Amino acid sequence: MAKTTAPTNKHSRLIETAAKLAHEQGFKQTTLADIARESGVPLGNVYYYFKTKEALGEAVIDKLASAGQMLRAMWDASPDPKSRLEAFIQMSIDNRDSLARSGCPIGTLCAELHKEGGPLAQDAAKLFAELLKWLEAQFRLIGRRGESRDLAVHLLSALEGASLLAHTFHSTRYVEREAERLKNWIRSL
Amino acid sequence: MAKTTAPTNKHSRLIETAAKLAHEQGFKQTTLADIARESGVPLGNVYYYFKTKEALGEAVIDKLASAGQMLRAMWDASPDPKSRLEAFIQMSIDNRDSLARSGCPIGTLCAELHKEGGPLAQDAAKLFAELLKWLEAQFRLIGRRGESRDLAVHLLSALEGASLLAHTFHSTRYVEREAERLKNWIRSL
C-alpha cells in the first residue's frame, strides 16, 4: 500500500476510524479516546488534528458526502435512468451484512444527531438532501416530471425503513426482499 | 383528574417521563437525574422504583408495547382489513408533528439500542415484530397470502423511512405525502 506522509495518514486514519466507530456504536457513544485507541494515533495527536469531537463529526460527514458523490458519479455512467436507480438499490443488497449489523450509516447518524439538533445535525441532513436531488433527477428523466420528488422520497424511504428493520432484527432478509421489490417497481415505471 | 395512590402515581409518572425524554433526546442521553428533574420525583425515589436505567428502559418498552396492543385492538374494530391498514397509516399523519420533531419513538429507539445490542435492544425489537405480525395478518385477509410478509415489510419500511426523512428535515411533508401514497396503494390491492 502506498504510504502518504505521516500527518496526512494519521488525519485520514482518524476520520476513517471515527466513521467506523460512529457507525458501529453511535456518534455520541464514541469518545475521542476510543478513536485514538482504535486508530493507533496517540490521544495528544488527535487534538492536534481535531480540536473538538464536533470537528471530527464534520470530517466524518464530509467523508460520507464525498463517498456519496463518487457513487452517484459511478451510477451516472449507466446509460439510462432506470439502470442508475437499480444500481442505487443494488448498493443496499451489496451492503446487506453491514446494514443488518449496524444499520444505514447515514440514516442512523441522522436519527441520532437530530435528537439534539445543531449544526452537525444540519450538515448530516445535507447527505440525504443531495441523494434525494439525484434520485429526483432520475425520475424526471424517466418522464415522471410531476411526481419525481414523491417517487424519490418513496424509494429512499422504503430502503431506509428496510435498513432499519434489517438492523433491528439483524437479518439481511429485510433489505434483500424489499430491494428486489423496489427494482421490480422501477422496471414497471 | 382521578388520582391514584402516590407510589403508583410516581411510578407511572417516571415511566411516562422516561418515554418522553428518550423520544426527545435519545435513551442513552437521558439520565435518571434528567427523569427525576422532569417528573418532579426526587432522585432517591427514582432508585426505589427502578434500580437501574436498564429497568426503566424495560418499563418504557412495556409501555410502548401496551400502547401498540391498544391501537391494534382499536384498528381491529374496523370492518375490513383495508380500512384497518388505512387506520394504521393514518396514525403517522396524525402524529406528523411529533415525527418531524423527534422521529418515530419505536424506530429511533431500535436504531439507537441496536448499535449496542443486549437484552434491551432485543426487547425493543419485539415492538416491530408484533406490529409486523398484525400487518401480515391484514394482508392475508385481503387475500395476499403468499406475499403477506413482504407486503407488511414494505408498508412498515416505507412509513419508517418517511418518518426518518421527516425527522431529518424537520418537515411533516415527507410523512403526509408518503402516507397518502401508501393509502392509495392499499386501496388498489
Side-chain angles (χ1 to χ4, degrees), chain B residues 5-75:
Chain B
T5 57
T8 312
N9 195 6
K10 275 185 195 167
H11 183 260
S12 60
R13 213 160 72 214
L14 284 171
I15 299 169
E16 196 78 45
T17 307
K20 178 178 173 283
L21 292 181
H23 185 213
E24 287 174 2
Q25 61 190 38
F27 179 71
K28 276 171 205 158
Q29 285 296 105
T30 302
T31 63
L32 288 177
D34 289 340
I35 296 162
R37 192 172 47 247
E38 178 91 6
S39 64
V41 175
L43 189 56
N45 282 27
V46 176
Y47 289 114
Y48 171 79
Y49 293 109
F50 299 99
K51 298 286 171 260
T52 60
K53 211 179 118 185
E54 186 94 1
L56 191 47
E58 279 165 23
V60 166
I61 292 169
D62 285 349
K63 183 184 138 68
L64 288 168
S66 303
Q69 273 175 346
M70 278 176 58
L71 282 166
R72 289 190 291 274
M74 204 174 72
W75 300 330

Side-chain angles (χ1 to χ4, degrees), chain A residues 23 115 150 154 177-178, chain B residues 23 115 150 154 177-178:
Chain A
H23 185 212
K115 289 286 181 183
D150 285 349
H154 178 65
R177 302 295 288 258
E178 183 63 17
Chain B
H23 185 213
K115 289 285 181 183
D150 285 350
H154 177 65
R177 301 295 288 260
E178 182 63 18

Side-chain angles (χ1 to χ4, degrees), chain B residues 71 90-100 175:
Chain B
L71 282 166
Q90 180 60 36
M91 180 185 55
S92 290
I93 300 179
D94 295 342
N95 294 334
R96 61 190 179 277
D97 290 324
S98 160
L99 293 173
V175 161

